[in-house]
């Protein structure tokens, strides 16, 4: 850890390109910083820096990332920030910034993450926010923002997380927020002064996992459309003026009282809420049931309370105090309040990482199954040696910037003096490679499931290559790094070799990856592009439908044709015509992916378009006997 004053020479270093000084104890005035015409990346967060943001930051025309959070920076956000046409991440949260949010921010069309939370900003949210079409993370929480929200934020259709909590926003919640169908992690409007009814359109947020509308002045009913929010794990509408029935869903029926407390009169099939009396006969019936319940023995009551306690332990969330942002939703993040206790629980759950709990071993670490006293199960990846520290931090850096349903979720990590491990969601069926190995599990992977796995991996790679703040190349797409849950949904894992591409750099790096999946150009070049992942994806798809790695077979078939039926896993019966047409489409695309020349390979965006296209099978074509040409990649 670095301590002491910020070097004065840093202020005059006009040739600076990248600077990382985060999480230290550096002190100094940053008011003179900003004249860095070659700068592309700077992170000075979590120090003891002070001063103001200079207008000269607007002259860093190639800057893609500016992080200065958790310092003591004062003054205003300079309007010149709007000149940074390449900026993807702007994080100056947790400072003492004052004044208004400059409307010039709307000029930064490339902006992916805008984090201004926990400052002293005032005024309204500028309407120019609507221009940020690539924005995915917006955190303006814990400020003094006021006025009506309007529909500007609802125009940022790529948003995945929106946190406006702990402000003084008023008026009604705009129905345009229902258009943010990509919202996934959090929608937090708590601790404001919103009035009127909750818009029905919020029920269209089918991917949303956490919704917090607490501590406002909302009235009327909870919209019945909330029944459609199939991904919802947490909701808090407490401390409002809501009334009427809570929508019927299993989530709400089992929800804790705290989600609904301190409202006008909510009712429904929720514990600790009164039933909704619709008719006199219903009231009479409920009275009878109440008398009956009163006669149930105390032992049954004890069993009921025990069942509730067990349920609460098994939920992947806990009671959250409003305004804490995303940390209050994710249970593992909540554990960070007592990291030592979590560490002990993991050590005990894995019996100090004994072989009996090991479920897999890779190049940089071993993975263990850890069932905690709460009943929750996690996958814990223990890094082999301290020499792998670089891979450890690279994996963390990659996963904290991306969030996708087909990318394994990182819940937390431990970076102790002599031990490093990462904690992931547990994928019950393990790796795809493991499922393909034995006949019993391979048969469970029927053709439809294999088609869906291909789409899952394709969606994740398309997101990484085309929809992140910068393209991310995984560099190790293999069947061992594709994990399956109980429903055979697939997630990409192991980001220890991942690389964030710099659009203005050559992106040269050392050779890394797994033999048999490496793109051929890496034999004579160390330049990494998205097409390296595309090649690995092609190999993976062939392996998935053939049932084994395709290397030996394809090397003998280079520059020749073979029918689809000769490529399919012999452990499964031949597919019906409709399924065969889909497999033929994917196998043909996979062959394009393994073209020797990377410029001839398709992109993952093109993959998604091909896989999602709905075409009727050609009734005159026998797909199983139709030839597929194999390129010379493997020769």
């Amino acid at each position: 850890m670095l301590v002491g004053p910020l070097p004065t020479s840093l202020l005059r270093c006009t040739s600076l390109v990248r600077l990382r000084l985060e999480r230290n104890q550096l002190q100094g005035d940053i008011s003179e910083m900003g004249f860095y015409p070659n700068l592309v990346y700077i992170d000075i967060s979590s120090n003891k820096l002070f001063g103001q943001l200079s207008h000269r930051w607007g002259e860093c025309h190639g800057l893609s990332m500016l992080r200065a959070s958790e310092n003591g920076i004062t003054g205003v956000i300079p309007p010149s920030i709007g000149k940074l046409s390449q900026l993807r991440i702007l994080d100056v949260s947790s400072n003492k910034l004052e004044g208004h949010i400059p409307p010039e921010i709307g000029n930064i069309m490339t902006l992916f993450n805008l984090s201004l939370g926990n400052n002293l900003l005032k005024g309204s949210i500028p309407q120019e926010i609507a221009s940020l079409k690539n924005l995915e993370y917006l955190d303006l929480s814990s400020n003094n923002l006021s006025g009506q929200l309007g529909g500007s934020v609802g125009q940022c259709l790529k948003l995945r997380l929106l946190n406006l909590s702990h402000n003084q926003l008023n008026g009604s919640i705009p129905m345009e927020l229902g258009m943010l169908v990509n919202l996934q992690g959090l929608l937090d409007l708590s601790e404001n002064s919103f009035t009127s009814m909750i818009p029905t359109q919020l029920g269209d947020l089918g991917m949303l996992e956490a919704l917090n509308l607490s501590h406002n002045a909302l009235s009327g009913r909870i919209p019945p459309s909330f029944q459609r929010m199939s991904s919802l794990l947490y909701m808090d509408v407490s401390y409002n003026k809501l009334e009427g029935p809570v929508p019927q869903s299993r989530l709400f029926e089992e929800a804790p009282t705290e989600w609904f407390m301190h409202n006008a009169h909510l009712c429904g099939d929720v514990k600790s809420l009164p039933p909704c009396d619709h008719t006199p006969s219903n009231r009479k019936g409920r009275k009878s049931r109440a008398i009956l319940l009163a006669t149930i023995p105390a032992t049954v009551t004890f069993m009921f309370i025990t069942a509730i306690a067990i349920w609460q332990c098994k939920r992947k969330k806990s009671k959250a105090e409003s305004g804490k942002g995303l940390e209050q939703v994710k249970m593992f993040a909540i554990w960070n309040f007592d990291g030592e206790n979590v560490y002990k629980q993991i050590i005990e759950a894995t019996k100090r990482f004994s072989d009996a709990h090991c479920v897999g071993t890779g190049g940089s670490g071993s993975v263990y199954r850890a069932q905690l006293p709460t009943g929750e199960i996690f996958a814990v990846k223990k890094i082999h040696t301290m020499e792998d520290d670089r891979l450890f931090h690279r994996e963390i850096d990659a996963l904290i910037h991306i969030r996708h349903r087909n990318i394994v979720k990182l819940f937390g990590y431990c970076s102790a003096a002599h031990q490093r491990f990462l904690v992931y969601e547990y994928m019950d069926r393990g790796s795809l490679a493991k499922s393909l190995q034995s006949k019993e599990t391979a048969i469970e992977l029927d053709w439809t499931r294999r088609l869906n796995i291909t789409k899952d991996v394709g969606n994740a790679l398309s997101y990484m290559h085309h929809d992140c703040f910068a393209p991310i190349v995984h560099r190790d797409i293999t069947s061992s790094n594709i994990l399956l849950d109980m429903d055979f949904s697939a997630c990409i894992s192991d980001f220890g070799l991942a690389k964030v591409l710099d659009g203005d750099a050559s992106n040269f790096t050392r050779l890394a990856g797994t033999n048999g999946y490496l793109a051929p150009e890496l034999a004579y070049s160390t330049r990494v592009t998205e097409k390296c992942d595309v090649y690995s994806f092609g190999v993976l798809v062939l392996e998935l439908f053939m049932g084994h790695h395709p290397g030996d077979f394809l090397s003998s078939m280079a520059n020749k044709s073979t029918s689809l039926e000769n490529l399919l896993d012999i452990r499964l019966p031949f597919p019906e015509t409709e399924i065969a047409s889909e497999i033929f489409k994917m196998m043909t695309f996979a062959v394009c992916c393994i073209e020797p020349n990377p410029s001839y390979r398709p992109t993952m965006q093109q993959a998604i378009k091909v896989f999602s296209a709905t075409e009727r099978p050609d009734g005159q074509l026998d797909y199983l006997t139709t030839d597929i040409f194999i390129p010379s990649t493997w020769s």
Side-chain angles (χ1 to χ4, degrees):
M1 177 179 292
L2 301 175
V3 297
L6 196 68
T8 55
S9 58
L10 189 63
L11 304 178
R12 300 188 297 271
C13 187
T14 57
S15 61
L16 196 64
V17 176
R18 289 176 175 268
L19 178 63
R20 292 191 63 176
L21 295 174
E22 72 272 17
R23 294 190 294 273
N24 286 292
Q25 296 291 321
L26 296 173
Q27 303 178 25
D29 190 341
I30 67 163
S31 301
E32 298 301 318
M33 294 183 72
F35 184 56
Y36 306 116
N38 300 308
L39 190 66
V40 297
Y41 178 108
I42 182 170
D43 191 345
I44 53 175
S45 57
S46 301
N47 280 285
K48 297 181 179 180
L49 304 174
F50 53 88
Q52 300 186 6
L53 293 173
S54 167
H55 71 278
R56 305 198 72 173
W57 283 109
E59 300 173 19
C60 303
H61 299 298
L63 189 60
S64 64
M65 178 174 174
L66 171 57
R67 289 188 184 274
S69 60
E70 297 184 33
N71 282 290
I73 302 172
T74 56
V76 301
I77 300 174
S80 61
I81 288 287
K83 298 178 181 179
L84 301 178
S85 60
Q86 303 298 316
L87 194 64
R88 296 187 178 96
I89 295 179
L90 175 59
D91 185 356
V92 289
S93 59
S94 300
N95 281 290
K96 301 175 182 177
L97 293 169
E98 301 175 321
H100 295 72
I101 300 174
E104 288 81 0
I105 279 183
N107 297 330
I108 314 175
M109 307 300 292
T110 56
L111 204 58
F112 163 84
N113 182 332
L114 178 59
S115 297
L116 308 179
N118 198 21
N119 279 290
L120 303 172
L121 299 171
K122 63 182 180 179
S124 59
I125 298 174
Q127 294 298 307
E128 288 77 5
I129 290 284
S131 300
L132 303 179
K133 302 302 183 183
N134 291 302
L135 195 64
E136 294 194 23
Y137 296 86
L138 177 59
D139 185 355
L140 305 179
S141 62
S142 300
N143 279 289
N144 296 317
L145 300 174
S146 58
Q148 297 193 11
L149 183 54
S152 57
V153 175
Q155 303 302 312
C156 303
L157 300 180
K158 286 190 176 181
L159 275 177
R160 295 177 180 273
L161 181 146
L162 175 59
N163 190 352
L164 303 178
S165 63
H166 283 81
N167 279 291
Q168 301 169 24
L169 300 172
N170 55 42
S172 59
I173 297 175
M175 64 179 66
E176 286 85 353
L177 294 188
M179 298 168 56
L180 302 178
V181 293
N182 288 307
L183 275 178
Q184 184 174 355
L186 174 70
L187 171 57
D188 193 344
L189 304 178
S190 63
E191 297 281 352
N192 280 286
S193 300
F194 287 114
T195 57
S196 191
M197 301 176 68
I198 301 173
T200 300
Q201 289 81 358
L202 293 189
D204 295 330
L205 304 179
M207 295 174 61
L208 188 64
E209 296 178 356
L211 173 64
N212 193 346
L213 304 176
S214 65
H215 292 82
N216 280 288
L218 299 169
S219 58
R221 297 187 173 191
I222 300 174
S225 60
F226 277 27
Q227 293 173 323
R228 302 197 301 265
M229 302 174 76
S230 57
S231 298
L232 202 62
L233 299 174
Y234 167 86
M235 185 182 79
D236 190 349
V237 294
S238 62
Y239 292 90
N240 279 289
K241 301 176 181 178
L242 300 171
E243 59 185 352
V246 173
Q248 291 185 345
S249 79
R250 185 173 180 180
L251 175 68
F252 297 149
E253 289 172 4
E254 300 175 345
T257 310
E258 290 81 3
W259 291 11
F260 306 101
M261 64 191 302
H262 295 283
N263 274 288
H265 182 69
L266 287 174
C267 61
D269 295 328
V270 179
K271 61 180 183 180
S272 301
L273 283 184
C276 297
D277 295 332
H278 300 295
T279 64
S281 60
N282 282 345
R283 287 194 292 268
K284 180 179 179 181
R286 288 196 175 91
K287 182 177 179 181
S288 300
R289 286 195 293 272
I291 295 172
L292 177 61
L293 285 172
T295 65
I296 295 178
T299 54
V300 177
T301 304
F302 173 77
M303 290 172 64
F304 176 70
I305 295 173
T306 304
I308 292 176
I310 294 172
W311 172 84
Q312 288 176 325
C313 287
K314 289 186 177 180
R315 298 292 292 177
K316 287 189 178 180
K317 56 187 180 294
S318 87
K319 175 185 174 182
E321 295 184 10
S322 61
K324 292 294 184 181
L326 188 58
E327 284 87 4
Q328 71 182 158
V329 181
K330 300 302 179 185
M331 184 166 185
F332 202 87
I334 294 172
W335 289 348
N336 286 340
F337 289 115
D338 190 0
E340 183 178 357
N341 180 47
V342 180
Y343 175 85
K344 289 179 180 178
Q345 289 187 44
I346 289 176
I347 297 299
E348 293 173 0
T350 59
K351 299 293 189 292
R352 296 190 173 275
F353 298 106
S354 71
D355 291 343
H357 292 269
C358 184
V359 294
T361 300
S364 62
S366 297
V367 180
Y368 298 81
R369 183 181 185 274
Q371 182 167 357
L372 303 190
T374 60
E376 291 178 296
I377 302 174
F378 294 96
V380 182
K381 179 180 178 181
K382 184 176 182 291
I383 304 302
H384 285 320
T385 64
M386 299 303 288
E387 284 73 25
D388 292 319
D389 183 66
R390 180 173 48 83
L391 301 181
F392 173 75
H393 286 289
R394 179 180 286 172
E395 187 153 4
I396 294 171
D397 288 342
L399 286 171
I400 62 175
H401 286 121
I402 56 181
R403 183 175 179 82
H404 191 276
R405 61 182 175 275
N406 298 121
I407 295 175
V408 68
K409 290 184 177 67
L410 175 68
F411 286 111
Y413 62 91
C414 168
S415 182
H418 302 291
Q419 194 155 244
R420 280 165 163 70
F421 58 78
L422 303 102
V423 183
Y424 293 102
E425 64 175 323
Y426 183 73
M427 304 292 282
D428 303 82
R429 296 187 183 274
S431 71
L432 175 60
K434 180 181 177 182
S435 292
L436 289 173
Q437 282 176 357
S438 73
K439 181 177 181 180
E440 181 181 350
T441 52
I443 291 175
E444 287 185 298
L445 287 175
D446 59 30
W447 298 123
T448 299
R449 285 170 175 163
R450 298 189 194 202
L451 288 169
N452 289 334
I453 290 170
T454 302
K455 294 176 182 177
D456 287 346
V457 178
N459 281 325
L461 285 175
S462 179
Y463 167 76
M464 291 165 55
H465 292 177
H466 304 286
D467 296 323
C468 283
F469 66 97
I472 298 177
V473 180
H474 186 277
R475 295 208 295 164
D476 200 19
I477 296 297
T478 70
S479 55
S480 296
N481 289 334
I482 305 301
L483 304 181
L484 306 176
D485 66 11
M486 285 302 293
D487 298 323
F488 295 93
S489 293
C491 282
I492 297 177
S493 69
D494 200 341
F495 282 73
L497 299 178
K499 180 174 178 60
V500 179
L501 298 188
D502 186 341
D504 299 323
S506 54
N507 294 308
F508 288 101
T509 184
R510 66 179 180 84
L511 181 65
T514 303
N515 287 334
Y517 298 88
L518 288 171
E521 63 268 21
L522 295 177
Y524 55 83
S525 172
T526 56
R527 184 172 184 266
V528 175
T529 69
E530 300 97 319
K531 295 300 180 74
C532 298
D533 277 353
V534 173
Y535 180 91
S536 302
F537 175 74
V539 177
L540 177 73
V541 174
L542 292 171
E543 178 181 1
L544 179 58
F545 289 105
M546 294 176 70
H548 58 82
H549 191 277
D552 293 338
F553 178 83
L554 294 183
S555 61
S556 65
M557 291 297 298
N559 287 322
K560 298 179 182 178
S561 296
T562 185
S563 62
L564 176 61
E565 62 184 356
N566 290 331
L567 293 173
L568 296 181
D569 192 340
I570 61 174
R571 295 170 293 186
L572 294 181
F574 284 138
E576 298 296 329
T577 301
E578 186 173 347
I579 298 298
S581 69
E582 287 293 305
I583 296 174
F584 182 82
K585 179 170 64 176
M586 290 191 175
M587 293 286 272
T588 304
F589 189 88
V591 166
C592 295
C593 293
I594 61 172
E595 280 285 345
N597 188 334
S599 64
Y600 292 161
R601 295 175 204 150
T603 66
M604 293 311 302
Q605 273 186 337
Q606 291 172 321
I608 300 308
K609 290 181 180 178
V610 170
F611 297 166
S612 59
T614 56
E615 300 175 358
R616 288 189 176 183
D618 186 344
Q620 305 300 316
L621 186 63
D622 184 353
Y623 290 95
L624 292 175
T625 59
T626 302
D627 282 349
I628 296 177
F629 180 78
I630 309 300
S632 60
T633 299
W634 296 89
S635 58

